Amino acid sequence: MSHLHLDNLQCTYDRTVAVRHLDLRVAQGELLALLGPSGCGKSTTLRMVAGFVPPSAGRILFGDRDVTHAPPHARDTGMVFQGYALFMHMSVAENVAFGLQMRKVPRAEQAARVKEALRLVQLEHLAERRPAALSGGQQQRVALARALVVRPAVFLLDEPMSNLDARLRTEVRLEIRALQQRLGLTTLLVTHDQEEALTTADRLAVMDHGRVRQVGTPQQVYEQPVDQFVANFIGRCNLVPGRLEAPGAFRAGAQLLPCAAAATPPRATGELALMVRPDRIRIAEAGAPGLPARVKLGTYLGGTTEWHFETEVGPVSVAQPSVPARGAPTIGERVSLQWSAEHALPLPADATAS
Ligand code: ADP
Ligand code: MG
């Protein structure tokens, strides 16, 4: 049985349908990331699970317990908000103790649990400080400790790293993941950052306009995106418009391009595009089999360089290690672009559209 089950959950604000027909199951100890552009309904979903926003339809189950109508403090959730929402007039220890007071935990036990939670996030030595006297990263840890101290059955994180600078974000991300795994916490992590989702989550749900487009492991979603939206949102990709001429053959203008034969030809043929990741394309000599292309520009990205090509079917990008075996392409050079058929997927614009 899943530990957290969102069953056909919906949320309508005055005029906006923020979340529609949401069906998600999270296993005990699993971290599921909700990923999607701003406004797609991620925070609303989290607030419904925490009990701050009532669903307009559907159910929320923790194990076999239906909590759809339970008040927030009766749900055993620990939530970390985007802006941390710390109480600035309270000390670190008082902030962390807050949830325990709300739950009327005896004083002596409160003190012991606050200490334990601060130890988990390595902030014991700052227990008496006010949040204003802490760095962004330390405030973030206080927010984590405050959520962990209630020993949540479901751990909810709403863009918890977005206020941190890039380096600290990577560090805190690894710490949160390690802590989550060590404590076996069933977790929903909201993020609009695809790298954060890919590196932190056991599975991710890609959302758009209140709907889930795809749920899967990071590998599944990257390697087998169901549609152009998901392919574009997770990682970089080339999309060549065209149609499926035969199994394994994709027609784009005068070009017949190799593609995965196993892919089911979607009904909406008018809006098909062939998806190939930039890191799956090889650059070969002009005249070799493949798509004829001309080098337009190289963008140096450190470990890799992204090469931009003009082709008959539109612009195509290719990612190569910055020290390629065969010498770097030169601007204006004519080449041939090759890929294995299984790495080229014909995708509809929206797989969930009916
Ligand atoms: P996300 O977290 O993915 O950025 P939200 O869940 O915050 O998205 O918002 C989803 C949609 O619901 C958006 O269109 C947003 O404008 C709307 N929305 C969010 N909160 C409210 C609210 N309190 N009242 C009315 N509309 C809201
Ligand atoms: Mg949000």
Side-chain angles (χ1 to χ4, degrees):
M1 185 177 44
S2 52
H3 189 61
L4 170 64
H5 181 191
L6 311 186
D7 178 17
N8 200 16
L9 209 55
Q10 314 234 23
C11 180
T12 311
Y13 294 112
D14 304 335
R15 277 179 299 262
T16 325
V17 183
V19 172
R20 63 187 83 206
H21 305 299
L22 192 71
D23 258 304
L24 282 176
R25 289 169 185 273
V26 191
Q28 169 70 54
E30 185 183 30
L31 190 154
L32 179 81
L34 299 180
L35 177 67
S38 180
C40 72
K42 306 180 296 292
S43 293
T44 301
T45 303
L46 225 58
R47 287 191 208 115
M48 285 193 283
V49 176
F52 300 130
V53 169
S56 16
R59 293 186 311 158
I60 300 166
L61 298 155
F62 289 5
D64 53 10
R65 196 174 140 228
D66 187 332
V67 299
T68 315
H69 303 290
H73 63 267
R75 288 194 185 197
D76 291 339
T77 58
M79 181 151 169
V80 177
F81 298 88
Q82 190 165 349
Y84 313 147
L86 299 177
F87 304 114
M88 298 316 254
H89 61 286
M90 294 183 188
S91 70
V92 165
E94 287 164 348
N95 264 280
V96 176
F98 184 76
L100 299 177
Q101 284 166 9
M102 293 292 291
R103 287 166 174 79
K104 306 212 179 335
V105 172
R107 280 217 164 261
E109 191 188 333
Q110 276 187 32
R113 281 172 64 174
V114 167
K115 208 167 164 204
E116 181 200 355
L118 287 176
R119 189 168 45 76
L120 275 175
V121 298
Q122 296 161 29
L123 275 186
E124 274 174 302
H125 59 297
L126 297 177
E128 297 316 317
R129 284 240 187 123
R130 294 281 165 96
L134 300 177
S135 71
Q138 289 168 334
Q139 291 189 23
Q140 208 275 349
R141 281 158 206 253
V142 178
L144 275 177
R146 193 177 56 177
L148 290 171
V149 77
V150 302
R151 294 179 186 148
V154 178
F155 193 35
L156 303 170
L157 302 162
D158 193 349
E159 313 232 8
M161 275 77 96
S162 59
N163 288 357
L164 305 176
D165 62 52
R167 245 190 68 201
L168 194 55
R169 197 181 309 165
T170 312
E171 203 179 298
V172 171
R173 180 198 295 163
L174 294 173
E175 283 173 19
I176 289 182
R177 177 59 161 161
L179 206 57
Q180 178 266 333
Q181 286 185 319
R182 185 149 52 89
L183 302 177
L185 294 170
T186 305
T187 304
L188 274 182
L189 166 72
V190 160
T191 177
H192 64 269
D193 179 338
Q194 49 130 337
E195 189 187 315
E196 192 167 296
L198 285 174
T199 55
T200 316
D202 293 303
R203 285 186 307 145
L204 40 107
V206 183
M207 291 181 70
D208 177 45
H209 286 99
R211 289 177 303 142
V212 168
R213 288 285 189 110
Q214 186 170 7
V215 187
T217 64
Q219 289 83 354
Q220 283 167 345
V221 176
Y222 184 79
E223 302 291 343
Q224 302 289 330
V226 294
D227 60 27
Q228 295 168 32
F229 176 85
V230 174
N232 248 328
F233 203 81
I234 307 284
R236 314 236 328 109
C237 72
N238 295 294
L239 290 169
V240 178
R243 65 192 161 81
L244 210 53
E245 187 149 301
F250 190 86
R251 169 67 66 187
Q255 292 287 330
L256 205 53
L257 305 170
C259 70
T264 14
R267 281 154 298 177
T269 47
E271 49 180 71
L272 272 193
L274 190 66
M275 194 287 293
V276 195
R277 300 283 185 199
D279 57 356
R280 302 293 153 87
I281 303 178
R282 291 180 304 275
I283 303 172
E285 307 289 335
L291 177 66
R294 211 170 134 262
V295 185
K296 220 174 112 194
L297 183 71
T299 314
Y300 180 71
L301 300 170
T304 56
T305 298
E306 191 150 307
W307 294 97
H308 304 278
F309 293 90
E310 285 170 343
T311 80
E312 210 183 293
V313 299
V316 173
S317 300
V318 179
Q320 275 208 333
S322 288
V323 191
R326 142 195 193 275
T330 49
I331 308 302
E333 188 184 351
R334 289 180 190 282
V335 299
S336 196
L337 301 181
Q338 306 177 331
W339 57 83
S340 308
E342 77 260 28
H343 290 146
L345 308 177
L347 298 178
D350 181 351
T352 54
S354 45

